[in-house]
Amino acid sequence: LRPETVVSCGNGSITLFGRTIHDHNSYASLPVEDVLARSSNIGAINIGLKVGDANFYAYLKRFGFGKRTGISMPGESGGMLRPLKHWQKSSIGSVAMGHEISVTTVQLAQACSVIANGGYLVKPKLVLGAQTDPPVRILKPETAITMRHMMEGVVLKPYGTGFRYARIPGYSSGGKTGTAQIYDFKAHVYTHLYNASFMGFAPVNDPAVVVVVTVNGTSGTAGYGGPVSAPVFREVAAAALRLLDVPKDLPDEPLPQIAQGTADENDVALTDLAPDVPEPLVQADALDQRVFFPASITGPKVPNFLGKTKRELVEQSAEDGVPIDFEGVGIARSQYPPPDSPLSLGQHVLVKLAR
């Protein structure tokens, strides 16, 4: 596939192995570069079908999804990515538009940096100059550069989902918006609350910074990744470029304005319009064993934190991948949820300490 390769977008819907998936807008077909710029879910699914299950899964793993980055912070999640042998027939369509997979913001930054740095997977670190693993090439340089310019289209093209909000005065930039519906595990339905994100880099031809922004619990048309997260990207990236004294590569003049509604800012996969979509998956075992069950059946078991010191709690939280909130000082005297209870996706364990 090349940026100009035309991909079918099904006029807004596709039926895949008996399951109907809807797009946020109706397109007959688009070139690959505009599938990205307009964030067409059906276009992404048809690209995924061309790539195939095995190749797609191999690239997901190669980009670091489904495992912890190894950043030096306790309790890091590895996200969720089912082993290929557990994919359903329609999983290729789900994963292509961001369903049946969950990722952390750090994983998004690591993946975006592959495009920005010319094709290397780099292990992230918190302290500048700290020792880390050597970079691993996972993309050809020319592929990374092609992707870089396609992601510039998200920001540069008047109909791009990031056009109105992600352009940085004086600098070229590229990126991708994301708007993920939040699932209500009690009601077993997708909600109209979103996790809105934007990941990007600047300048395009010689990137100096990668910035990823995720805002939780947004809603409405103003709650998409473009309107919510891209402005934060713009301000943070602009400040970082100034601090790093990176030369400007665009004229330092006001950005052109476009008429309201011209940019295609809606990038939501309309899960609530497809009742046959399965529930999201949660990891059944926090120790990175990649075993998954439907969220309505079970979640990871809550460890027994009682009687432990705060240091021991932090170490166990990091080892098990179970997030903890603390109250008080001393020894763990109570916890909620109690030991061996299923933990819902995103839920923290509250541990109360006392002497």
Side-chain angles (χ1 to χ4, degrees), residues 270-318:
L270 296 182
T271 309
D272 55 334
L273 299 184
D276 51 344
V277 174
E279 294 180 347
L281 300 163
V282 297
Q283 198 169 337
D285 188 323
L287 295 179
D288 216 25
Q289 295 181 17
R290 304 291 166 241
V291 181
F292 295 85
F293 299 96
S296 57
I297 297 177
T298 186
K301 297 292 186 182
V302 176
N304 187 349
F305 294 117
L306 301 177
K308 299 182 182 293
T309 65
K310 191 169 184 177
R311 177 184 291 274
E312 290 171 334
L313 291 169
V314 170
E315 290 174 351
Q316 187 173 355
S317 171

Side-chain angles (χ1 to χ4, degrees), residues 59-322:
Y59 270 101
L60 289 167
K61 297 294 288 185
R62 190 182 294 187
F63 271 80
F65 296 121
K67 62 182 178 182
R68 298 168 187 164
T69 66
I71 197 169
S72 55
M73 182 169 288
E76 184 194 7
S77 170
M80 290 180 285
L81 173 63
R82 288 190 301 174
L84 186 59
K85 62 183 179 180
H86 294 310
W87 282 27
Q88 304 171 43
K89 288 184 177 180
S90 63
S91 290
I92 184 73
S94 296
V95 179
M97 64 177 183
H99 288 210
E100 294 191 35
I101 181 174
S102 70
V103 302
T104 67
T105 304
V106 176
Q107 287 175 326
L108 285 177
Q110 184 181 47
C112 188
S113 71
V114 174
I115 307 302
N117 68 32
Y120 288 96
L121 185 72
V122 178
K123 181 178 178 179
K125 55 191 177 184
L126 293 178
V127 180
L128 189 65
Q131 293 296 316
T132 187
D133 298 337
V136 178
R137 177 169 291 284
I138 65 170
L139 286 182
K140 295 178 181 178
E142 55 269 31
T143 304
I145 292 171
T146 298
M147 278 302 305
R148 208 184 287 167
H149 288 289
M150 286 175 60
M151 291 173 74
E152 183 182 21
V154 174
V155 177
L156 194 61
K157 294 181 177 181
Y159 47 78
T161 56
F163 178 83
R164 193 185 300 276
Y165 307 99
R167 292 172 296 159
I168 306 170
Y171 293 97
S172 59
S173 60
K176 182 69 186 76
T177 60
T179 308
Q181 286 177 280
I182 295 176
Y183 189 77
D184 185 332
F185 284 91
K186 292 183 178 180
H188 305 296
V189 295
Y190 282 89
T191 71
H192 285 289
L193 296 177
Y194 309 128
N195 288 324
S197 62
F198 188 89
M199 68 176 186
F201 50 83
V204 170
N205 289 327
D206 188 16
V209 295
V210 165
V211 177
V212 179
V213 179
T214 301
V215 181
N216 305 118
T218 66
S219 63
T221 57
Y224 302 143
V228 172
S229 299
V232 184
F233 160 81
R234 180 187 64 216
E235 298 303 317
V236 173
L241 292 166
R242 287 195 299 271
L243 289 171
L244 294 172
D245 200 22
V246 177
K248 294 182 177 181
D249 64 340
L250 290 179
D252 196 1
E253 57 188 27
L255 297 171
Q257 299 299 311
I258 61 170
Q260 183 72 26
T262 303
D264 195 350
E265 295 163 3
N266 186 344
D267 57 359
V268 185
L270 296 182
T271 309
D272 55 334
L273 299 184
D276 51 344
V277 174
E279 294 180 347
L281 300 163
V282 297
Q283 198 169 337
D285 188 323
L287 295 179
D288 216 25
Q289 295 181 17
R290 304 291 166 241
V291 181
F292 295 85
F293 299 96
S296 57
I297 297 177
T298 186
K301 297 292 186 182
V302 176
N304 187 349
F305 294 117
L306 301 177
K308 299 182 182 293
T309 65
K310 191 169 184 177
R311 177 184 291 274
E312 290 171 334
L313 291 169
V314 170
E315 290 174 351
Q316 187 173 355
S317 171
E319 180 180 349
D320 293 349
V322 175

